[in-house]
Amino acid sequence: MEPLVAKPHSPDNRALARECNNVKIDRVYIGSCTGGKTEDFMAAAKVFLAGGKTVKVPTFLVPATQKVWMDIYTLEVPGSGGKTCSKIFEEAGCDP
């Protein structure tokens, strides 16, 4: 999974993060209305878990539905030793 960067002024205006060398990222959103599915948060949690680092800019979680929000707090991430997505995001310094 390779990170995408949203660019102004349309949801269709985006680029791969590696293509934005001269752009300062000042906030990150994981999710949104169409990209906030349970599997999206599971994938993001695995990236944080593998990297073992904390965020450097404000990082917000935006689940698509209440069910996804509940999944983030209840489903364990495979290979995490029993941690939920929410625990991994909290340890990484994300904003709920």
Side-chain angles (χ1 to χ4, degrees):
M1 176 170 82
E2 191 165 359
L4 286 176
V5 175
K7 298 165 67 177
H9 296 280
S10 166
D12 292 333
N13 191 13
R14 63 193 180 281
L16 295 174
R18 65 182 155 91
E19 296 170 347
C20 300
N21 299 359
N22 298 321
V23 176
K24 181 182 176 193
I25 297 174
D26 59 2
R27 72 191 60 154
V28 172
Y29 291 89
I30 299 173
S32 77
C33 55
T34 58
K37 297 178 281 302
T38 299
E39 56 267 24
D40 299 323
F41 287 98
M42 282 285 184
K46 289 177 185 177
V47 169
F48 280 114
L49 192 61
K53 298 185 179 181
T54 59
V55 299
K56 295 180 181 175
V57 297
T59 301
F60 302 93
L61 309 175
V62 188
T65 66
Q66 279 296 114
K67 181 189 179 314
V68 174
W69 188 253
M70 292 306 300
D71 288 348
I72 291 169
Y73 280 88
T74 58
L75 297 178
E76 293 180 4
V77 177
S80 70
K83 293 181 182 179
T84 62
C85 287
S86 65
K87 183 63 176 169
I88 292 167
F89 293 139
E90 177 186 327
E91 290 173 352
C94 299
D95 294 310

